[in-house]
């Protein structure tokens, strides 16, 4: 079949289409670009709002000074640990429960599935949740970041839908050969469920990395503060932190206005430190994300 010759209206449509998407891309990317260029530009210019498109007076002293702030390295370790462990637990729980809910021989399968789904619409509220965490001795514990987030009903629904779209003959053939339920899960279903599991991994990782309210509610031990919670406190206390950094520096480090810490430089630099890791990780999972997010969109 020969390629259809494009008309003038087709070219106009493509130009408008690409133009709109280019504008939307720039609008989405500019806030991150603005944070980065202001974090590496002269602090006096950044504080005055003079840095909008092109960085000026480039230096990296802001990052060196911010990493000296009390609690930041430990908070970074807590955030990385909760993201890695929490994501792994959420993915495995979603995969296993989604798989089990596809097994017709599961006792009262529909009842258990409905009980899981109903939690998407109803919850006890903040105070009963806090009392439950306190009763379970999870307050001021690292595991308060992990355990409540393991079972996510929406992720289980997505996994169940994906597994149901797989050819049932795969599991039937393995069962005929003597494979048990766990063998079929780990050796048959899990390896071919990469798209949906990668999608869930992105959601879980972003949720764990960006979360700060659980720290605000359940944690008072500073050793368990997450990076996002420190960002929250730093943004609220940027002026006093800038004064602290200047007070702890030597005369040569504060002599230049271009590198003297300001509330703006603290906000911009800490924001970049918190946002950059998740921006670097997402492109690696993007191809799986596109496949996984389309689960259930096409039938037949």
């Amino acid at each position: 079949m020969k390629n259809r010759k494009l008309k003038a209206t087709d070219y106009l449509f493509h130009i408008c289409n690409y133009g709109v998407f280019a504008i939307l891309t720039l609008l989405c990317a500019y806030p991150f670009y603005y944070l980065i260029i202001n974090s590496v530009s002269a602090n006096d210019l950044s504080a005055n709002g003079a840095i909008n498109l092109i960085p000026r007076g480039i230096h990296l002293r802001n990052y060196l000074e911010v990493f000296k702030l009390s609690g930041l390295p430990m908070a970074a370790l807590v955030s990385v640990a909760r993201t890695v462990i929490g994501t792994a637990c959420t993915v495995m729980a979603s995969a296993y429960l989604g798989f089990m809910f596809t097994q017709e021989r599961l006792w009262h399968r529909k009842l258990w599935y409905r009980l899981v789904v109903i939690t998407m619409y109803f919850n006890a509220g903040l105070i009963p949740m806090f009392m439950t965490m306190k009763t379970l001795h999870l307050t001021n514990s690292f595991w308060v970041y992990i355990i409540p987030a393991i079972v996510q009903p929406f992720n289980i629904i997505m996994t169940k839908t994906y597994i149901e779209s797989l050819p049932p003959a795969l599991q039937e053939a393995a069962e005929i050969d003597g494979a048990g339920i766990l063998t079929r899960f780990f050796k048959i279903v899990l390896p071919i469920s990469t798209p949906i599991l990668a999608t869930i991994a992105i959601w879980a990782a972003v949720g764990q990395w960006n979360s700060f309210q659980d720290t605000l509610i359940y944690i008072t031990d500073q050793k368990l503060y997450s990076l996002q919670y420190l960002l929250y406190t730093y943004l609220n206390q940027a002026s006093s932190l800038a004064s602290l950094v200047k007070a702890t520096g030597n005369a040569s480090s504060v002599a230049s206005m271009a590198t003297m810490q300001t509330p703006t430089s603290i906000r911009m630099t800490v924001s970049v430190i918190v946002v950059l890791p998740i921006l670097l990780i997402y492109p690696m999972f993007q191809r799986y994300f596109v496949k996984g997010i389309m689960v259930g969109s096409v039938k037949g």
Side-chain angles (χ1 to χ4, degrees):
M1 180 179 177
K2 295 182 179 180
N3 293 329
R4 184 175 65 87
K5 186 176 181 180
L6 295 177
K7 300 178 180 179
T9 53
D10 294 326
Y11 285 110
L12 181 60
F13 170 77
H14 287 307
I15 292 173
C16 294
N17 195 27
Y18 287 119
V20 169
F21 278 105
I23 292 172
L24 292 176
T25 301
L26 291 174
L27 290 175
C28 293
Y30 179 74
F32 301 104
Y33 175 73
Y34 181 80
L35 287 175
I36 294 172
I37 62 175
N38 274 274
S39 69
V40 299
S41 296
N43 292 345
D44 54 342
L45 297 177
S46 178
N48 293 329
I51 308 298
N52 293 311
L53 291 176
I54 301 175
R56 294 158 58 188
I58 296 176
H59 66 95
L60 298 177
R61 189 169 186 82
N62 288 337
Y63 292 91
L64 298 177
E65 297 295 343
V66 163
F67 276 113
K68 296 178 183 178
L69 292 175
S70 176
L72 192 65
M74 188 63 190
L77 180 61
V78 169
S79 288
V80 170
R82 69 173 291 182
T83 301
V84 173
I85 298 173
T87 300
C89 291
T90 300
V91 169
M92 285 304 300
S94 301
Y96 186 72
L97 290 175
F99 167 72
M100 292 303 298
F101 285 135
T102 65
Q103 305 301 303
E104 295 184 358
R105 286 174 292 179
L106 177 65
W107 183 69
H108 288 303
R109 175 174 66 100
K110 293 182 178 180
L111 172 63
W112 303 126
Y113 183 65
R114 287 168 182 168
L115 289 177
V116 169
V117 172
I118 201 173
T119 61
M120 294 177 61
Y121 306 100
F122 301 98
N123 62 75
L126 180 59
I127 294 177
M129 186 68 176
F130 176 81
M131 294 174 64
T132 301
M133 295 298 109
K134 189 174 181 64
T135 302
L136 295 175
H137 303 289
L138 289 177
T139 53
N140 275 328
S141 169
F142 173 78
W143 296 107
V144 77
Y145 296 138
I146 308 300
I147 294 176
I150 289 179
V151 177
Q152 299 288 343
F154 183 74
N155 295 343
I156 294 172
I157 294 172
M158 293 290 289
T159 309
K160 176 178 177 292
T161 304
Y162 183 87
I163 294 174
E164 287 176 338
S165 70
L166 300 175
L170 292 173
Q171 293 191 52
E172 293 171 358
E175 189 173 7
I176 292 174
D177 291 337
I181 189 75
L182 292 179
T183 301
R184 282 185 281 135
F185 172 67
F186 284 106
K187 293 188 176 181
I188 304 296
V189 175
L190 204 61
I192 59 178
S193 300
T194 303
I196 189 60
L197 297 183
T199 303
I200 293 173
I202 292 175
W203 291 339
V206 171
Q208 286 283 5
W209 183 263
N210 289 337
S211 179
F212 77 93
Q213 288 186 334
D214 44 10
T215 307
L216 184 64
I217 297 170
Y218 304 122
I219 302 296
T220 57
D221 186 355
Q222 294 184 6
K223 293 181 181 179
L224 294 174
Y225 283 174
S226 64
L227 198 58
Q228 290 289 352
Y229 179 76
L230 277 191
L231 171 62
Y232 168 76
T233 57
Y234 286 169
L235 292 179
N236 291 333
Q237 303 172 6
S239 298
S240 58
L241 286 170
S243 301
L244 177 63
V245 171
K246 286 187 278 188
T248 56
N250 52 43
S252 60
S253 65
V254 297
S256 172
M257 290 294 294
T259 58
M260 183 182 295
Q261 297 299 304
T262 65
T264 302
S265 69
I266 295 288
R267 291 190 183 99
M268 298 296 178
T269 307
V270 175
S271 297
V272 171
I273 291 173
V274 172
V275 170
L276 197 58
I278 210 70
L279 288 179
L280 297 177
I281 291 174
Y282 177 78
M284 295 188 297
F285 292 91
Q286 184 179 11
R287 62 193 181 102
Y288 298 114
F289 181 79
V290 173
K291 288 183 181 179
I293 202 65
M294 294 297 290
V295 170
S297 61
V298 179
K299 300 293 184 182

